[in-house]
Amino acid sequence: MTPILMLGAGRMGGAILEGWDRAGAFDARDILILDPNPSDAARRAQGRGARLNPPDADLAAAQTVILAVKPQKWLEAAGQYAAVLSPEAVIVSIAAGVPSQAIARAFGGRAVARAMPNTAAAINRGVTSLYADDPAARARARTLFEPLGTAVDLGDEALIHAATAISGSGPAYLYAFIEALEAAGAGIGLPRADAERLARATAIGAAALLEATGEEPAELRRQVTSPAGTTEAALNVLLGEHGLPSLLREAAAAAQRRSKELGG
């Protein structure tokens, strides 16, 4: 499946490169990167032996192509490079919203898999949703993303939009919650630095406990909620009619709609 060509190495592409390096997944000398404005991660990969912005003649050797440009730029990238790629190259797209059939047409009928990772791939704790009609393309995508954390196969391409809303965009929801918790702590009198340390360590510890115990989130919530206690008082607000469940349903639906819009 190598050499691997990365078309685009911005935030997400860079996270993939960093995760591969941490996992020892691929020899950097088997990676080609095309990006007019290379990220620091791309530069570091170059330092390990990856080929950054090689001539078009070198691209024909690529057996796997990761389409990691912004969704608005994918068609331009396909028009620029499809003709120089090997006919056997498999296209693995992380472009949000863009259907595999459209990608296959733009890349001359080559096999296509779609993947929706998130940036925790950089530390091998990412989550990637995968879809491909072609079993070989699906296996290729799984080999790329399994070293980066959890990989989930989806049985229907339409589910990629929902997966994008939950795991693709999900880290930003958690960061926003922690940011709001920090502000709430400062708002009720904690020094800002203390509020930040308390909120961040609490979030990290709670997530680690969820992973370590394997308990359901609802059960862990019940375990720390004493009747008529402080936690219950707070949860009556958070889980109220216009609280977190309602807000997250609206947020996920908005992200899902935008994913569909990006695909045209």
Side-chain angles (χ1 to χ4, degrees):
M1 62 183 291
T2 59
I4 299 167
L5 168 62
M6 292 200 69
L7 288 179
R11 183 80 63 180
M12 193 63 246
I16 291 169
L17 290 169
E18 296 283 271
W20 283 346
D21 178 55
R22 287 172 61 97
F26 302 102
D27 190 321
R29 292 170 295 183
D30 287 330
I31 300 172
L32 300 86
I33 303 168
L34 286 176
D35 196 310
N37 300 295
S39 62
D40 290 343
R43 294 288 188 192
R44 286 191 289 270
Q46 182 185 31
R48 296 189 294 267
R51 286 169 281 173
L52 180 59
N53 294 324
D56 286 358
D58 291 358
L59 307 185
Q63 296 301 299
T64 306
V65 179
I66 299 184
L67 183 61
V69 298
K70 294 183 184 302
Q72 297 88 342
K73 296 285 188 180
W74 80 270
L75 196 54
E76 178 183 337
Q80 187 171 357
Y81 296 111
V84 301
L85 298 174
S86 166
E88 287 75 39
V90 173
I91 312 300
V92 180
S93 171
I94 67 170
V98 184
S100 57
Q101 286 187 350
I103 296 166
R105 284 195 301 270
F107 280 93
R110 292 175 176 86
V112 172
R114 288 184 62 191
M116 181 46 60
N118 60 32
T119 51
I123 58 168
N124 310 105
R125 300 302 300 270
V127 181
T128 305
S129 301
L130 303 173
Y131 175 81
D133 279 333
D134 184 296
R138 184 187 293 260
R140 184 77 55 92
R142 179 166 281 279
T143 302
L144 291 172
F145 288 98
E146 278 189 330
L148 305 180
T150 300
V152 177
D153 285 320
L154 300 178
D156 185 337
E157 184 169 9
L159 294 174
I160 289 268
H161 298 299
T164 298
I166 301 304
S167 61
S169 300
Y173 312 160
L174 295 182
Y175 301 144
F177 179 86
I178 295 167
E179 184 181 8
L181 188 58
E182 292 173 0
I188 59 173
L190 285 168
R192 184 73 198 196
D194 291 342
E196 290 176 357
R197 290 182 64 198
L198 288 168
R200 295 177 195 194
T202 298
I204 292 166
L209 186 63
L210 177 66
E211 179 180 51
T213 63
E215 293 274 14
E216 291 294 319
E219 175 58 27
L220 291 175
R221 172 174 55 78
R222 282 191 289 269
Q223 289 174 16
V224 297
T225 307
S226 300
T230 60
T231 306
E232 184 178 81
L235 289 176
N236 287 339
V237 177
L238 286 174
L239 302 182
E241 182 180 358
H242 301 295
L244 276 177
S246 175
L247 286 172
L248 284 174
R249 282 194 298 271
E250 291 179 26
Q256 183 183 45
R257 285 194 300 273
R258 183 57 182 153
S259 178
K260 293 177 180 178
E261 291 166 1
L262 287 170

